[in-house]
Amino acid sequence: MTTTFITGANKSLGYETARRLIEAGHTVLVGARDPERGQAAADALGARFVRIDVTDDASVAAAADDVRAREGGIDVLINNAGVLGTHSPADEITAADAREVFEVNVVGIVRVTHAFLPLLRTSANPVIVNVSSGMGSFTATQDPGRIEGRIVAPLYTASKAAVTMLTTQYAKSWPDVKVNAADPGYTATDFNGHSGPQTVTEGTDAIVELATVGADGPTGTFRDRHGELGW
């Protein structure tokens, strides 16, 4: 049975990803920072809760130790935890604002991946899915015909561009691990006041697809629910 660990899995895209993968036969570990919300989500899903704060070295190390002791290893890591950050205009953005966003969206992925990579390597088919965004795509954000081209969010977009590049570099570094980035698309979540036209199920299509790739599946790709996305 495939064992999957998902960060930020107590709500929205993370929760729906967990639900769908459990439905597909995975054993899912719900990672979340808030113990009450995380446990409630895990109970509702029929999953196991593992507390993890992706911004804290000790918390991430403890989560990895917990999984090592209980499951022995994992097959799939989904780096889903992320924040939008400040809504301030560009001329009011501070270094502190940047640190907050990048600490979760980028450094958090490095921190979690580093801690969980030994657990992934116990699998015959280790898979990493980094939840990125079309908002980090140079192609999409320069196209005025797309929603990504009409939104200005300097820190979030820059952090997601970094996530996608990090994905491609990890994929080159580890030929034994499938590492891909998923763009959920404009999905109705807390991030946008539930204004997105896609359902959370549609928003998790690419994540679920990439989480279930076989040993001959792709690596180093950036996909949304319709296929590969321009960088």
Side-chain angles (χ1 to χ4, degrees):
M1 185 174 288
T2 301
T3 300
T4 299
F5 186 91
I6 309 172
T7 64
N10 61 295
K11 64 178 183 177
S12 298
L13 293 169
Y15 184 93
E16 178 65 6
T17 299
R19 185 194 68 79
R20 292 183 65 180
L21 290 176
I22 289 170
E23 190 176 75
H26 288 215
T27 295
V28 172
L29 307 178
V30 169
R33 181 175 57 179
D34 186 295
E36 291 186 5
R37 293 178 182 176
Q39 189 62 62
D43 290 345
L45 288 163
R48 184 169 90 79
F49 167 62
V50 178
R51 185 181 182 278
I52 186 169
D53 179 347
V54 303
T55 69
D56 183 80
D57 287 340
S59 174
V60 172
D65 287 344
D66 181 355
V67 174
R68 184 178 295 106
R70 292 280 296 272
E71 282 76 26
I74 61 172
D75 302 286
V76 181
L77 171 63
I78 301 177
N79 287 307
N80 169 72
V83 295
L84 182 59
T86 180
H87 291 278
S88 299
D91 56 347
E92 295 178 13
I93 291 172
T94 65
D97 294 330
R99 288 192 194 97
E100 178 187 0
V101 174
F102 276 77
E103 184 65 35
V104 177
N105 293 1
V106 184
V107 180
I109 287 179
V110 174
R111 183 177 286 115
V112 173
T113 301
H114 175 75
F116 279 79
L117 188 59
L119 299 177
L120 277 165
R121 286 203 160 119
T122 66
S123 173
N125 181 37
V127 172
I128 297 173
V129 181
N130 294 326
V131 178
S132 187
S133 171
M135 291 292 293
S137 161
F138 289 88
T139 299
T141 56
Q142 297 303 309
D143 182 348
R146 293 182 59 120
I147 183 66
E148 296 93 340
R150 300 192 297 273
I151 296 174
V152 177
L155 297 181
Y156 182 75
T157 56
S159 73
K160 289 302 185 178
V163 169
T164 306
M165 179 58 78
L166 187 63
T167 300
T168 66
Q169 294 300 306
Y170 277 162
K172 289 180 179 181
S173 300
W174 306 324
D176 58 321
V177 183
K178 299 290 186 295
V179 190
N180 293 287
D183 167 30
Y186 192 18
T187 302
T189 67
D190 293 347
F191 260 36
N192 52 49
H194 297 270
S195 63
Q198 289 187 161
T199 66
V200 287
T201 300
E202 291 171 326
T204 55
D205 280 348
I207 303 171
V208 170
E209 178 186 357
L210 291 171
T212 54
V213 295
D216 59 347
T219 191
T221 66
F222 182 27
R223 301 180 65 84
D224 64 12
R225 66 192 297 259
H226 303 294
E228 290 207 33
L229 190 64
W231 303 106

